[in-house]
Amino acid sequence: MKLAITIHRARLGPTEFKVIRPAHPLVHAVLIDRDRWLDVFLDQDAAQRVGALWELAGSSPRSLVHVPMRRNHAPTGQPSGDAERQLDLVLVHHSLQFAPSRWKELRGRLDRGRPQTVTLADAAGIDESGIDHEARHYRENRDLFHQHLHAETLFMTGSAAVFRDTAPHFHDVARNGPGHTPARPGDSHFCSTLHANAGILGNAREIHLQYCDDWGSPSTAGPASPELAAG
């Protein structure tokens, strides 16, 4: 899969940071904080690209991957008020040791970015047979996601292995969601979940990924560019 991204840089003190964003806005992607869990609504394109960015985060330990979506138009029928706020998403390899409290300042200093195309393995060719699901539940397991909230942004921090092993959840939604809806008009719900009992969440809440093809009027579907959603 070829993924169009932009690479942005900014300096905080003596340290320069690199931030990766999708080159084109993910208009039909929304992350909602439900307090006890998190909901992500995606159309096929957004699910494919977030899955690719998820993989990229695992293989880019010196970068932050920023997915602007908090100002997107929510799917039809989904609340987006103060009680259930929408968030941006940042994916961070744990080795970077980036403090989320510095995100707002870093976000405000980013340059306009440089376009680039990266090639990732095709989702259909990802081999999940090598995942040791039992080992996830060992006390020694350190391949866990940890979450922090800061500046209207959810930070997902984890190892290369946990990013790699959980990206198929997004690819599953992209591959099977569109066909599920017309085939089951009375049961249009298609989802995949990063479960608390799956041995992948440390200090983190469950994330419920749902395919959605009803996004209302395109004229109110979201900002024109990632930069507009980043401020």
Side-chain angles (χ1 to χ4, degrees):
M1 175 182 178
K2 292 187 181 300
L3 178 68
I5 60 173
T6 51
I7 297 177
H8 307 257
R9 298 182 185 274
R11 185 173 293 278
L12 292 180
T15 306
E16 183 179 75
F17 292 93
K18 182 170 74 171
V19 176
I20 298 171
R21 286 175 173 159
H24 309 291
L26 283 81
V27 174
H28 293 156
V30 168
L31 168 59
I32 301 178
D33 186 345
R34 305 288 197 196
D35 189 23
R36 288 181 295 174
W37 75 93
L38 297 146
D39 273 339
V40 181
F41 295 90
L42 305 155
D43 70 357
Q44 184 178 42
D45 173 69
Q48 288 174 335
R49 289 199 283 151
V50 174
L53 291 163
W54 209 262
E55 294 175 46
L56 188 59
S59 61
S60 306
R62 307 311 302 167
S63 303
L64 297 90
V65 177
H66 177 211
V67 189
M69 62 174 85
R70 77 178 189 269
R71 294 179 181 172
N72 283 355
H73 179 69
T76 300
Q78 292 301 320
S80 57
D82 292 339
E84 296 184 312
R85 57 179 172 167
Q86 293 183 200
L87 302 170
D88 280 350
L89 176 65
V90 170
L91 311 173
V92 190
H93 193 282
H94 61 74
S95 65
L96 188 60
Q97 298 184 320
F98 180 80
S101 60
R102 307 186 74 190
W103 171 242
K104 187 172 184 179
E105 183 181 5
L106 177 63
R107 186 176 63 190
R109 294 188 178 194
L110 293 174
D111 61 22
R112 294 185 62 84
R114 174 173 56 86
Q116 183 174 320
T117 300
V118 295
T119 302
L120 301 165
D122 184 71
I126 294 176
D127 182 9
E128 298 181 56
S129 63
I131 300 175
D132 189 343
H133 295 277
E134 185 177 346
R136 287 176 172 174
H137 299 280
Y138 295 165
R139 183 177 297 177
E140 297 80 9
N141 179 28
R142 295 294 181 267
D143 293 318
L144 301 169
F145 280 122
H146 297 281
Q147 296 172 351
H148 297 87
L149 283 176
H150 193 79
E152 300 177 279
T153 302
L154 173 71
F155 282 79
M156 292 287 292
T157 303
S159 66
V162 75
F163 276 115
R164 180 192 63 236
D165 293 350
T166 54
H169 286 274
F170 294 91
H171 301 315
D172 183 34
V173 171
R175 182 171 55 250
N176 297 310
H180 182 93
T181 300
R184 298 171 177 81
D187 178 24
S188 61
H189 183 93
F190 185 88
C191 66
S192 186
T193 302
L194 277 65
H195 283 288
N197 61 3
I200 56 174
L201 302 180
N203 178 22
R205 292 173 286 168
E206 284 192 345
I207 303 180
H208 180 237
L209 313 175
Q210 182 174 334
Y211 173 76
C212 184
D213 60 4
D214 187 359
W215 293 83
S217 171
S219 64
T220 58
S225 71
E227 286 74 20
L228 289 176

